[in-house]
Amino acid sequence: MPNSLSERNRRWDLLNKSMQENEVDALIFAANDYRGHKGALRYVADYNLLHRSGNAVMFKDEEPVVVLSGNLSGARKPDSGWISDYRCPGTIAAGLVDTLKRRKKFSRVGIVGLGQIMKVDEYLALTAAYPQVEFIDYSAQFELIRAVKSAAEIQGAQESAYILDQCFSRLLEIARPGTTEREIGAEMYKVGHRLGGEDPLFLTMYTETDSDQTNATFGPPRDRVLTAHDVHTFSFEIVGPKGYWTELSRMVTFAPPTEDTERMARAVTKGLAAAAREMCPGVSPSKVQRAVLEAIESEGATSSYWSGHALGLDVLEHPWIGLDVVEDGRQSEDTMLQAGYLLAVHPMVRDVSAQVTGYMADSFVIEESGSRKLSEHPTGLYRISKGEANVNEY
């Protein structure tokens, strides 16, 4: 199981090896309760941060210490028992400074999440207390460590994918013209929670034209009523019981779709199929993106410069599927896919002239022989008619 002691030891061994190779004496893992900012803490400590912020401090070849916000002193600790030392000081900044005192001599400390997660006051407290110590951003090195998932971690992702499959099956049962987004969202949350899902992110998307500009509007479910001739795109992301994210999105219609709608759905389906064929060990993310764009453009559509990303204990992990570095600027464009990577691919396509858009998402695991889709639902445009759902897989 992903939270077993053998999995803990595997991760700690990888972290210790990385510290040895990079001449780092300790690591600090910064986390907060934002969906994409707490996976590092769960990776090292099996602690799922549900509120506020927290950190873990790990000296080389020693058990980490978890430093949490003071109001989390009564929070539940995981049953797995990875960590014995939990601290809830008055301020996290003071707690981090005090925790580092367990070692009298250290000269180089890596911080996972320095650029985007650690609070400024915490960083300033560390540098003021230890002016002789070099604090470096260790986020990129950490991403390389956690990118390759173990068999137990992949099992956790498959469990998450199963939950999403059941959510979408329920959607196909209840989605009808006249149903509101909120009614569908309520059922998705219900099914997901009943099966052990956490942190659900359910979005609805549709094409919207504003001042002759066509965009795919998306957001949480609202009071908007589904109509017979609309194209409804439902996207669901969730964490399963073991903490691993997966994504699933499909386009759904009720009345017969227009030719342009069919073409957009075909473009997205082709893009996903191209990615699935291209994603193999040793292939660069940029090569995957080029294959996606070529497939989409064959249907007269365009897409953004990135079409997916790795995922795991965080919903966004490295590498990104794109032609250049995305968001934080530290991912190498030459990062090659490896067996054990988990990737979400989600091309968002648009035809400006026809004023139509399309979007779908699938999660994949990379194996030695290529990619394997985690969802059992076929990829394509679903039409619900007379109480039955049929899919055009193109």
Side-chain angles (χ1 to χ4, degrees), residues 185-352:
E187 285 294 312
M188 299 303 95
Y189 296 140
K190 177 181 177 181
V191 172
H193 280 294
R194 188 178 68 235
L195 295 176
E198 301 174 359
D199 289 341
L201 179 59
F202 180 64
L203 302 174
T204 62
M205 306 184 189
Y206 56 93
T207 302
E208 186 173 66
T209 302
D210 182 17
S211 301
D212 297 326
Q213 193 74 10
T214 301
N215 294 296
T217 296
F218 63 93
R222 301 181 300 174
D223 292 327
R224 177 173 170 267
V225 178
L226 308 188
T227 63
H229 294 280
D230 285 340
V231 180
H232 311 285
T233 301
F234 301 95
S235 178
F236 208 12
E237 306 171 34
I238 203 167
V239 170
K242 306 302 184 299
Y244 293 88
W245 284 94
T246 55
E247 299 186 25
L248 178 66
S249 179
R250 294 292 185 265
M251 297 168 66
V252 177
T253 66
F254 304 115
T258 66
E259 291 183 6
D260 286 330
T261 293
E262 286 268 15
R263 183 163 53 85
M264 290 302 98
R266 190 163 57 243
V268 180
T269 304
K270 281 186 171 183
L272 280 162
R277 289 191 300 270
E278 199 68 44
M279 290 188 298
C280 299
V283 173
S284 69
S286 60
K287 186 176 181 182
V288 176
Q289 175 68 354
R290 290 188 179 93
V292 172
L293 293 178
E294 182 178 353
I296 290 171
E297 290 165 0
S298 72
E299 294 293 337
T302 61
S303 183
S304 59
Y305 66 98
W306 67 285
S307 297
H309 52 86
L311 72 173
L313 292 174
D314 276 323
V315 68
L316 297 173
E317 296 185 5
H318 289 187
W320 299 71
I321 303 297
L323 297 182
D324 54 11
V325 177
V326 179
E327 190 166 333
D328 62 13
R330 289 168 296 175
Q331 174 187 317
S332 169
E333 295 178 34
D334 298 324
T335 299
M336 301 300 173
L337 303 183
Q338 299 182 47
Y341 276 30
L342 289 170
L343 294 162
V345 182
H346 43 61
M348 180 175 286
V349 307
R350 182 171 66 155
D351 186 333
V352 177

